[in-house]
Amino acid sequence: MLEARVRLSRGAFALDAEVVAPGGVTALFGPSGAGKTTFVRAVAGLARPESGRIALDGRVLWDQGTDVPPHRRGIGTVFQDARLLPHRDVRANLLYGAPGDGRLGEVVDLLELGPLLDRRPRHLSGGEAARVALGRALLTEPRLVVLDEPLASLDARLRGAILPYLARLKATGVPMLLITHDAEEVVALADRVAFLDGGRVVDAGPLAEVLGDPVRAARLGAGQAGVVLTEADGLGVVGRVRARDVVLVSERVEVAGGVVVPVRVERVRDGVAVCDTGGVRLLADVGDAPIEGMRFAVLRGGP
């Protein structure tokens, strides 16, 4: 569990935020300039708070009398630019900071990096570099992975290609703190969300509760959010799917230009159904229509 209270000032901007991340994926969500990156830099040891307390699994990382160096905090950090070592190949980049190479094969398989191991970073696409950065963070055997806008520099196609790998990373059980201003990433990955605005946490709670409350869901923008699904999800290339493009049906049907997937409806609130596809959440705009017995979703989003 991460417990972090960070207070610091940068010119006219003041950050005074407290976040508790009990496990799974906690999303720190908010607009640009809200203080998200400043907060996680403090958590990772890359920025010094003026006051507060940061603890991970009960171990104090920072307070007025303690300041654990970044490399000893047990935190793997992935930034929106991959920050790979240009003079080393992918294998060496993956092992940089790792205690050994015993898990290299496991991580290479997880993130499908085998064909890239001998390449230099300049020969990687943006999506490939992002996967290498994820692998490097995981190989440090962290107690927490911090993802600071990891998809922000990628276009929609590449974001769609990387999301399934983030889901795989989540499935390893390593707790993650996801920093994002993209509601789709929150809906697809997060278990809990904290809203940061103007340097303050204005709301926080389990994602299921947030999506079930119309006021809190509106803050997230969940009514318009969707997810990006790709071949890696086993659903075919679908692209961006928004709530208005999802129709629930009781039996599997064939739909021209659409994809049908089995779902479990978790809850419905104010005409929006939250559905689980077995690892990826979908939102469906159902209005007043009855949803009893609905077992499939027709995805009408285009690539």
Side-chain angles (χ1 to χ4, degrees):
M1 174 184 289
L2 173 70
E3 301 169 280
R5 177 70 183 269
V6 176
R7 298 188 186 96
L8 61 83
S9 300
R10 292 287 186 269
F13 177 78
L15 175 69
D16 185 353
E18 183 172 8
V19 173
V20 175
V25 178
T26 298
L28 189 59
F29 178 83
S32 297
K36 303 185 300 297
T37 293
T38 302
F39 181 87
V40 298
R41 284 179 58 83
V43 169
L46 303 176
R48 184 181 178 86
E50 295 166 0
S51 63
R53 180 178 182 271
I54 302 170
L56 181 60
D57 296 334
R59 177 190 178 212
V60 175
L61 304 180
W62 191 91
D63 62 15
Q64 294 296 345
T66 306
D67 189 2
V68 177
H71 64 283
R72 294 184 177 176
R73 294 197 174 196
I75 297 174
T77 306
V78 179
F79 298 96
Q80 59 179 280
D81 52 336
R83 303 191 182 186
L84 302 180
L85 301 173
H87 59 291
R88 298 193 178 190
D89 61 20
V90 165
R91 184 190 304 274
N93 269 280
L94 287 169
L95 293 174
Y96 186 78
D101 61 1
R103 296 188 60 209
L104 179 62
E106 172 190 347
V107 171
V108 166
D109 289 344
L110 179 74
L111 298 174
E112 299 181 1
L113 298 172
L116 310 179
L117 289 177
D118 296 325
R119 294 189 195 175
R120 294 291 177 94
R122 66 177 178 273
H123 297 303
L124 301 177
S125 69
E128 290 168 343
R131 283 155 50 201
V132 174
L134 288 172
R136 180 176 59 184
L138 196 55
L139 281 167
T140 63
E141 298 186 359
R143 289 181 294 148
L144 174 73
V145 172
V146 172
L147 304 169
D148 184 11
E149 302 272 12
L151 308 183
S153 62
L154 305 179
D155 60 28
R157 181 184 61 82
L158 287 177
R159 285 198 300 271
I162 297 300
L163 266 176
Y165 291 103
L166 293 178
R168 291 185 188 183
L169 182 59
K170 174 181 178 178
T172 67
V174 178
M176 292 192 286
L177 184 61
L178 172 65
I179 313 313
T180 183
H181 62 271
D182 190 327
E184 294 175 350
E185 294 175 24
V186 177
V187 172
L189 296 169
D191 302 298
R192 182 178 177 84
V193 59
F195 298 92
L196 190 66
D197 194 9
R200 303 289 191 276
V201 174
V202 297
D203 189 13
L207 182 64
E209 292 183 6
V210 170
L211 292 177
D213 183 302
V215 175
R216 302 168 83 189
R219 181 181 285 126
L220 181 63
Q224 296 299 317
V227 295
V228 179
L229 304 174
T230 69
E231 287 181 314
D233 300 299
L235 304 176
V237 179
V238 177
R240 189 180 304 271
V241 181
R242 298 187 181 275
R244 61 176 178 265
D245 295 323
V246 179
V247 177
L248 300 183
V249 294
S250 59
E251 298 181 0
R252 183 180 291 275
V253 294
E254 296 296 330
V255 179
V259 175
V260 180
V261 297
V263 298
R264 178 177 61 85
V265 178
E266 295 180 345
R267 72 199 67 85
V268 179
R269 185 72 178 270
D270 287 352
V272 176
V274 182
C275 306
D276 180 20
T277 68
V280 177
R281 289 188 181 92
L282 288 173
L283 300 180
D285 188 354
V286 296
D288 297 327
I291 54 86
E292 184 177 355
M294 298 301 182
R295 298 182 298 120
F296 298 90
V298 179
L299 314 181
R300 299 184 298 188

